[in-house]
Each structure stands twice: as C-alpha cells, then as structure tokens.
Amino acid sequence: MNVKTLAISGIIAALYTAVTLAILPFGFTNVQFRVSEIFNHLVVFNPRYIFGVVVGVFVSNLLLSELGPIDLVFGVGQSVLALSLTILFSRFTTNLLARMIFNTFIFTTTMFLIAWELNIVLHLPFLLTWLYVAIGECAVMIIGIPIMQALNKRLHFAKLV
C-alpha cells in the first residue's frame, strides 16, 4: 500500500468514526440509522477504499459501541463480507449505479449478522431485529447513492487512491 492510499484510508476511517460519533444514539441500537454507512459506497469506485471503511467500522465499534468485543467480530465481519461481495460483483459491471444498488442490497441483506449479534447480546428477537436494522441500513444506503454520485463528480473517487 502506497503512502497516498494509506493517508486516504486514514482520512476515510476518521470521517467514518466522526460521522458515527455525530449520530451516536442511532448507530448501535436495534433501530440503526448509521449515516456513516454511506462510506460503504466508496468501494464501487475503487476496491482500495475497503481499508479505510473497515478501519472506520473497527475504530467506531471499538470506541463507541456498548456491546463489547463481540461488536468488533460481528460489525467488522459484516462490513468485510458485504464490501468483499460488492468488490467481487464490480468485476462484472462497470455501471456505477448498478454497483451501488447491488452494494445497498448486499449490506441490507447481510444485516442478519448484526441482528444475530443483537440477539446474542441483548436477547432481541432475531427476525424483527433483522427487519429493523435492515430497514435502517437500506435507507442510509439509498440516501447515500445520489450523495456519493454528486461527490464523485467533484472528487473523482476512482482516481484518488
């Protein structure tokens, strides 16, 4: 990893953590609306963004989550799984909108891992919790699509790293 990619990954991780902190009460409950999840769309522009996003999730969960170390396993694991599937899918299409829609679907679907975690730790009902966290994730990711498209026009994400 070159210095530029490392620096940008650090900036993304810091931004992810800062945005998570800004909406703290809505990021770790069974009804999640973690706005920082918008950064997940960065991997559709360049797979190297996975490092910054995953470190951001790790730091946020480490510093801000009340669920303990299990949140590092489930939260980070869910992000790695979904981001990796999106990167894999991106090999088959160059259409950025299709990639973002797929990314939204994958993140929404894989929220079963977060529901499972909340079931284990807080004894919340699995299916209902999955529904709640999936709706929140889907909403954030859908809202993120036009935001990331607009930012990409200005910042050219594919060329930054």
Side-chain angles (χ1 to χ4, degrees):
M1 182 180 311
N2 64 34
V3 173
K4 184 178 180 182
T5 302
L6 185 61
I8 290 173
S9 294
I11 291 167
I12 291 167
L15 286 170
Y16 186 102
T17 303
V19 173
T20 301
L21 179 61
I23 53 96
L24 189 57
F26 304 105
F28 294 97
T29 61
N30 63 325
V31 180
Q32 294 190 8
F33 197 76
R34 193 184 284 197
V35 177
S36 50
E37 289 289 282
I38 290 172
F39 291 107
N40 292 328
H41 283 307
L42 286 171
V43 298
V44 306
F45 300 99
N46 191 318
R48 288 189 217 163
Y49 287 117
I50 192 172
F51 301 111
V53 174
V54 169
V55 170
V57 172
F58 180 85
V59 171
S60 295
N61 289 1
L62 179 68
L63 299 177
L64 306 172
S65 176
E66 296 176 359
L67 299 177
I70 194 168
D71 207 14
L72 298 176
V73 175
F74 280 87
V76 174
Q78 185 266 343
S79 293
V80 169
L81 174 63
L83 291 167
S84 298
L85 289 171
T86 297
I87 290 168
L88 181 65
F89 173 79
S90 293
R91 293 180 180 176
F92 301 104
T93 182
T94 57
N95 184 309
L96 292 176
L97 180 59
R99 289 177 176 184
M100 285 192 261
I101 290 169
F102 179 82
N103 195 32
T104 299
F105 173 76
I106 288 299
F107 267 91
T108 300
T109 305
T110 58
M111 290 304 281
F112 76 87
L113 290 168
I114 306 305
W116 186 21
E117 172 192 12
L118 293 170
N119 175 262
I120 292 168
V121 176
L122 302 176
H123 308 290
L124 297 173
F126 174 76
L127 289 177
L128 190 58
T129 303
W130 185 9
L131 177 67
Y132 287 156
V133 294
I135 288 170
E137 185 74 10
C138 188
V140 167
M141 297 292 285
I142 288 171
I143 291 166
I145 291 173
I147 293 170
M148 296 307 279
Q149 287 175 320
L151 287 171
N152 184 49
K153 287 180 183 177
R154 180 87 170 149
L155 299 173
H156 308 285
F157 291 130
K159 298 176 185 176
L160 282 179
V161 292

